[in-house]
Amino acid sequence: MSTIKGLVPSTTQYDGSNLRIAIIHARWNKQIIDALVDGAIRKLRERGVKEHNIVPQSVPGSFELPLACANVISASQIQASTSETPSQPFDAVIAIGVLIKGATMHFEYICDAVSHGLMKVQLDSGVPVIFGVLTALTEDQALDRAGLGRGEDKGHNHATSRGGPATSSAKNHGC
Ligand SMILES: O=Nc1c(NC[C@H](O)[C@H](O)[C@H](O)CO)[nH]c(=O)[nH]c1=O
């Protein structure tokens, strides 16, 4: 059965060649995280973002993503405005995590806190924070969304559809 879900690809080809993007990722569920980070980097490079302008940084778990994103944004803005050798501030941040439901409500509380936290970071900073956190009810759901599915259909790496919004949001943000 066909589906109506999905992101309609933008007809505008955004040029990422002058963008600087941070990728903040958790270290929980490493096999899936690694595939998502690789997918995001691949999409950013396809959009023309230079390799040295893609800056990955890790945190222990998804619960630490909002603070790390806020810190990396403010640090880059301070560095750009006060340093003797100013560097370009980040134009967007991609937050990547993998949350898999367990037997308790821990999953729900982290998912809620992280999603609201990341939204607050982007509204407070004015810098786009792309939501790349998988909130999976099962391991197979997470594996499928990283393109690592255990069945014949390996699924689709959802992080490749995070790189695009990072460049388009950054450009629309007037960077
Ligand atoms: O519990 N499961 C998960 C998890 N827990 C750790 C949490 O994010 C945080 O690092 C600690 O609570 C310490 O603050 N973090 C994830 O990214 N995915 C999970 O599936």
Side-chain angles (χ1 to χ4, degrees), residues 14 16 19 21 44 47 49 92 162-172:
Y14 290 97
L19 295 179
I21 309 286
L44 291 173
R47 288 287 182 97
V49 181
R162 301 304 188 263
T167 51
S168 52
S169 303
K171 298 301 273 188
N172 290 336

Side-chain angles (χ1 to χ4, degrees), residues 62-121:
S62 296
F63 193 75
E64 284 73 42
L65 287 172
L67 180 58
C69 290
N71 286 344
V72 85
I73 288 169
S74 54
S76 79
Q77 290 170 337
I78 292 166
Q79 172 74 10
S81 59
T82 56
S83 165
E84 286 179 11
T85 55
S87 58
Q88 181 181 338
F90 288 116
D91 298 297
V93 176
I94 301 176
I96 293 178
V98 178
L99 286 155
I100 301 175
K101 171 77 179 153
T104 69
M105 288 288 289
H106 187 238
F107 167 82
E108 284 82 352
Y109 285 108
I110 296 183
C111 291
D112 185 64
V114 172
S115 53
H116 287 288
L118 293 175
M119 177 60 76
K120 187 171 190 311
V121 168

Side-chain angles (χ1 to χ4, degrees), residues 21-167:
I21 309 286
I23 296 178
I24 309 298
H25 68 86
R27 295 192 289 271
W28 264 71
N29 305 311
K30 184 177 183 323
Q31 179 196 2
I32 302 173
I33 288 285
D34 288 350
L36 295 174
V37 171
D38 291 347
I41 292 172
R42 192 163 60 246
K43 177 58 79 174
L44 291 173
R45 298 286 289 131
E46 282 174 16
R47 288 287 182 97
V49 181
K50 298 181 178 68
E51 192 164 358
H52 68 269
N53 280 335
I54 301 172
V55 182
Q57 200 175 91
S58 75
V59 292
S62 296
F63 193 75
E64 284 73 42
L65 287 172
L67 180 58
C69 290
N71 286 344
V72 85
I73 288 169
S74 54
S76 79
Q77 290 170 337
I78 292 166
Q79 172 74 10
S81 59
T82 56
S83 165
E84 286 179 11
T85 55
S87 58
Q88 181 181 338
F90 288 116
D91 298 297
V93 176
I94 301 176
I96 293 178
V98 178
L99 286 155
I100 301 175
K101 171 77 179 153
T104 69
M105 288 288 289
H106 187 238
F107 167 82
E108 284 82 352
Y109 285 108
I110 296 183
C111 291
D112 185 64
V114 172
S115 53
H116 287 288
L118 293 175
M119 177 60 76
K120 187 171 190 311
V121 168
Q122 74 174 345
L123 295 178
D124 289 351
S125 67
V127 174
V129 175
I130 305 307
F131 189 78
V133 180
L134 292 185
T135 54
L137 297 177
T138 65
E139 284 189 9
D140 281 330
Q141 278 187 1
L143 288 164
D144 285 346
R145 285 153 183 78
L148 302 173
R150 293 190 266 227
E152 274 187 45
D153 175 4
K154 296 299 177 196
H156 163 68
N157 186 330
H158 280 218
T160 57
S161 51
R162 301 304 188 263
T167 51

